[in-house]
Structures are given as structure tokens and as C-alpha cells.
């Protein structure tokens, strides 16, 4: 799921880039909160989710178990709500002309900053839930390091697909 969600984040950031590439719009959005929204759309909600998905795959394979169902639902859900909430707040703030890199934002825009902070905290809760599970799976994999390693696919499955690729386990 994290891989798919990463593609959605990457596409969202790309859509923001296409919108920002129009010169009249770029003239308005330049140096506003639109810029960090665009960047965080494809980096935080795109590439970072891909990395988490890949690490999840490696740890699940090394530990011989999948992440708990609770973590597999709570972690990504909180990250999606918080991440897209934060990015949405930044996109809207940028469209309203709120500048970036200012220590104090213009009067009347404090609500957007508060909402962004709340969404960032929700994102971090989801991230820490996933990272805690990663630590647990890593410890389990470390304890099992002398045990029988995960072997290749059975011969029948490897020859049926034409490769020895082992698909991801079913969590996240």
C-alpha cells in the first residue's frame, strides 16, 4: 500500500508543478507557501512513502512476519491524513498569497499555520507508529540472524513466473 500511496503523492506533486509552470500563476505563487506544498507533495508523500514501503518489505522478509494489522492501518492512515492535510493547508495558503520564510505571517493567517501544525503532528504520530514497528521487526530479525535464511521461491513458482522474484508480503 505504501508504494501505491507514494505514487499518488508523486502525481499530486507533479500536478502542482504543472499548475505552477504557467507563468501568470507562477508570478502569483512565487515565494509563497505553494512552493513547500509542491515539494512536500512529491518528496514527503511520494518518495518518503516509497522508502518506508521498501524498508517494510525488507524488515518483514528478514523477521519472517508481517507488521501487525493495527500498525498497518493506523500508521499509514495517520500519515495520509496528516501529510495531505499539511500539504493542502500549504497549497491553500500559497494560493492566498501567504509568503514562505517569514518568522511571523500576516495578520489573519494564523489559523492556517495552526491547522498545518496539527496536521504535521498527526503525520508524525503515524510515522512514529510505523518506525516503532520497524524497530520491533528489526530486533526480531537480529535475533533470528543465525537461523535459516529466507530462501528463494520454490522451483515451480519461480519457473511459472519466469523469474525468482519474491513478491511483497501483504501488509502496509
Amino acid at each position: 500500500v505504501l508504494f501505491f500511496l507514494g505514487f499518488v503523492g508523486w502525481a499530486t506533486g507533479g500536478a502542482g508543478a504543472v499548475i505552477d509552470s504557467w507563468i501568470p500563476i507562477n508570478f502569483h505563487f512565487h515565494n509563497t507557501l505553494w512552493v513547500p506544498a509542491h515539494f512536500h507533495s512529491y518528496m514527503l508523500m511520494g518518495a518518503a512513502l516509497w522508502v518506508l514501503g521498501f524498508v517494510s518489505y525488507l524488515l518483514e522478509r528478514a523477521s519472517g512476519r508481517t507488521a501487525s494489522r493495527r500498525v498497518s492501518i493506523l500508521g499509514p492512515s495517520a500519515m495520509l491524513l496528516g501529510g495531505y492535510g499539511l500539504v493542502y493547508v500549504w497549497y491553500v495558503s500559497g494560493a492566498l498569497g501567504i509568503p514562505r520564510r517569514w518568522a511571523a505571517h500576516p495578520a489573519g493567517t494564523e489559523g492556517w499555520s495552526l491547522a498545518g501544525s496539527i496536521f504535521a503532528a498527526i503525520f508524525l504520530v503515524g510515522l512514529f507508529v510505523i518506525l516503532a514497528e520497524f524497530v520491533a521487526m528489526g530486533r526480531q530479525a537480529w535475533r533470528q540472524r543465525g537461523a535459516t535464511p529466507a530462501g528463494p521461491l520454490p522451483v515451480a513458482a519461480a519457473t511459472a513466473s519466469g523469474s525468482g522474484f519474491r513478491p511483497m508480503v501483504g501488509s502496509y
Side-chain angles (χ1 to χ4, degrees):
V1 172
L2 287 175
F3 287 116
F4 171 74
L5 295 174
F7 280 107
V8 172
W10 191 264
T12 303
V18 169
I19 292 170
D20 194 33
S21 70
W22 298 340
I23 292 173
I25 291 177
N26 182 275
F27 182 75
H28 178 72
F29 290 165
H30 181 72
N31 214 21
T32 67
L33 285 174
W34 181 278
V35 177
H38 157 65
F39 172 78
H40 285 81
S41 291
Y42 69 82
M43 189 55 69
L44 181 68
M45 300 308 294
L49 293 180
W50 288 333
V51 169
L52 289 174
F54 182 65
V55 170
S56 170
Y57 167 75
L58 294 176
L59 287 173
E60 287 176 345
R61 181 157 178 181
S63 66
R65 71 171 181 91
T66 61
S68 73
R69 181 161 173 75
R70 180 181 298 162
V71 169
S72 298
I73 293 172
L74 177 65
S77 297
M79 287 178 67
L80 286 177
L81 175 66
Y84 281 115
L86 174 63
V87 167
Y88 172 76
V89 165
W90 280 343
Y91 273 128
V92 170
S93 298
L96 293 173
I98 299 173
R100 65 183 182 140
R101 297 184 182 154
W102 282 26
H105 286 192
T109 63
E110 299 86 5
W112 291 104
S113 296
L114 176 62
S117 298
I118 292 168
F119 282 122
I122 293 170
F123 177 85
L124 288 174
V125 166
L127 178 64
F128 289 142
V129 165
I130 289 176
L131 292 178
E133 186 72 6
F134 283 1
V135 168
M137 287 191 299
R139 286 182 176 169
Q140 184 173 355
W142 185 259
R143 285 191 302 269
Q144 296 174 354
R145 68 186 181 277
T148 307
L153 285 173
V155 174
T159 56
S161 67
S163 73
F165 176 72
R166 186 188 262 326
M168 256 178 52
V169 289
S171 71
Y172 286 115

